[in-house]
Amino acid sequence: MQNLKDRVAVVTGAGGGVGRSLALALASEGVHLALVDIDSEALGLTRAALVDYPVRVSEHVINIVSKAAMSALPDAVLAEHGKVNILVNNAGVTFQKSFENHSIEDWERIVGINWWGVLYGCHYFLPHLKAAGEGHIVNLSSMNAFVGLASQSSYCATKSAVRLLSESIQAELGVHNIGVTSVHPGAIKTEMMKATLADADDQGVALRTYELVQKIGVSPETVARRIVKAIRNNEVRIRVGADVVVVDWIKRAFPVSVQRLVGWAYKKSMN
């Protein structure tokens, strides 16, 4: 999809972080936007940041965990924009808890947002992407889809599922002129991890991890720019950040040793 001008993009999790940065990056290309988030105030701030761009912007305050809300979303977007060309399933959440201390309610929440939200988006928007004659789906996975990290079991599981869903439907949808990109960022300087600090098993370790991410992570703007490039070039998978490239290659070369190292590091952190 080389020409993005006057296309229509749906972006979930558009209230901040990568979602807001991506909305700005797409608007700079002349893309009209349907912004989706559960937080109406945050969504309003994103829309305010877009005021100088000559594009149509609609706000859709919904919970992407809701099948009813997501099944109704395409009609709401079409009513505002008349078509859909790009879908970005960006919304996500993480927990910093051991598997033992993960409640079933924790799992239900993260699976709902990280998995069902993505699946609903792909499922309910696919007919409209096909009707547009050309489309692109972007699914936000993670570095955590490449390695099983301690205290991240639910995040790793859901992001791995997103990765393989993306690869499977990419193999199918090319015949319909629809591209699919699985995005694997490493550390990103957003507030997603900070929002879960209070519920972490070890708040000291969690805080140090958050502070490290703020030092070494890439900016949301960097991720957004790379996603726009991936849409243009119809890329199947992208990695954003030196850390994810290193982790990916080391895990390929030493799959068992890496997991043993992760276990050793977790044990050391508990002492």
Side-chain angles (χ1 to χ4, degrees), residues 249-262:
W249 281 106
I250 291 178
K251 183 62 187 286
R252 292 187 197 192
F254 308 103
V256 175
S257 298
V258 167
Q259 288 306 140
R260 287 176 175 166
L261 180 61
V262 169

Side-chain angles (χ1 to χ4, degrees), residues 21 23-33 46-57:
S21 296
L24 290 164
L26 289 169
S28 70
E29 300 284 343
V31 177
H32 307 292
L33 295 162
T46 299
R47 182 166 194 165
L50 293 164
V51 69
D52 293 330
Y53 294 93
V55 297
R56 293 189 307 278
V57 180

Side-chain angles (χ1 to χ4, degrees), residues 153-191:
S153 56
S154 58
Y155 194 67
C156 291
T158 52
K159 291 302 185 179
S160 296
V162 168
R163 172 191 174 187
L164 291 178
L165 170 69
S166 302
E167 292 176 359
S168 293
I169 64 176
Q170 185 276 334
E172 298 176 11
L173 297 183
V175 295
H176 300 294
N177 205 24
I178 297 172
V180 183
T181 300
S182 180
V183 182
H184 300 269
I188 314 174
K189 297 176 184 177
T190 68
E191 297 302 300

Side-chain angles (χ1 to χ4, degrees), residues 152-252:
Q152 292 283 310
S153 56
S154 58
Y155 194 67
C156 291
T158 52
K159 291 302 185 179
S160 296
V162 168
R163 172 191 174 187
L164 291 178
L165 170 69
S166 302
E167 292 176 359
S168 293
I169 64 176
Q170 185 276 334
E172 298 176 11
L173 297 183
V175 295
H176 300 294
N177 205 24
I178 297 172
V180 183
T181 300
S182 180
V183 182
H184 300 269
I188 314 174
K189 297 176 184 177
T190 68
E191 297 302 300
M192 184 174 71
M193 291 184 66
K194 189 175 184 179
T196 65
L197 287 177
D199 296 323
D201 282 347
D202 188 321
Q203 293 190 27
V205 171
L207 181 59
R208 288 193 295 275
T209 301
Y210 169 76
E211 291 172 344
L212 178 62
V213 167
Q214 299 309 303
K215 290 179 180 177
I216 69 169
V218 297
S219 68
E221 292 78 12
T222 297
V223 180
R225 288 192 297 269
R226 187 65 185 87
I227 290 173
V228 171
K229 181 180 178 182
I231 295 171
R232 286 189 182 281
N233 296 335
N234 193 22
E235 296 182 65
V236 175
R237 185 188 78 161
I238 60 171
R239 301 168 298 180
V240 188
D243 52 348
V244 65
V245 174
V246 170
V247 167
D248 185 18
W249 281 106
I250 291 178
K251 183 62 187 286
R252 292 187 197 192

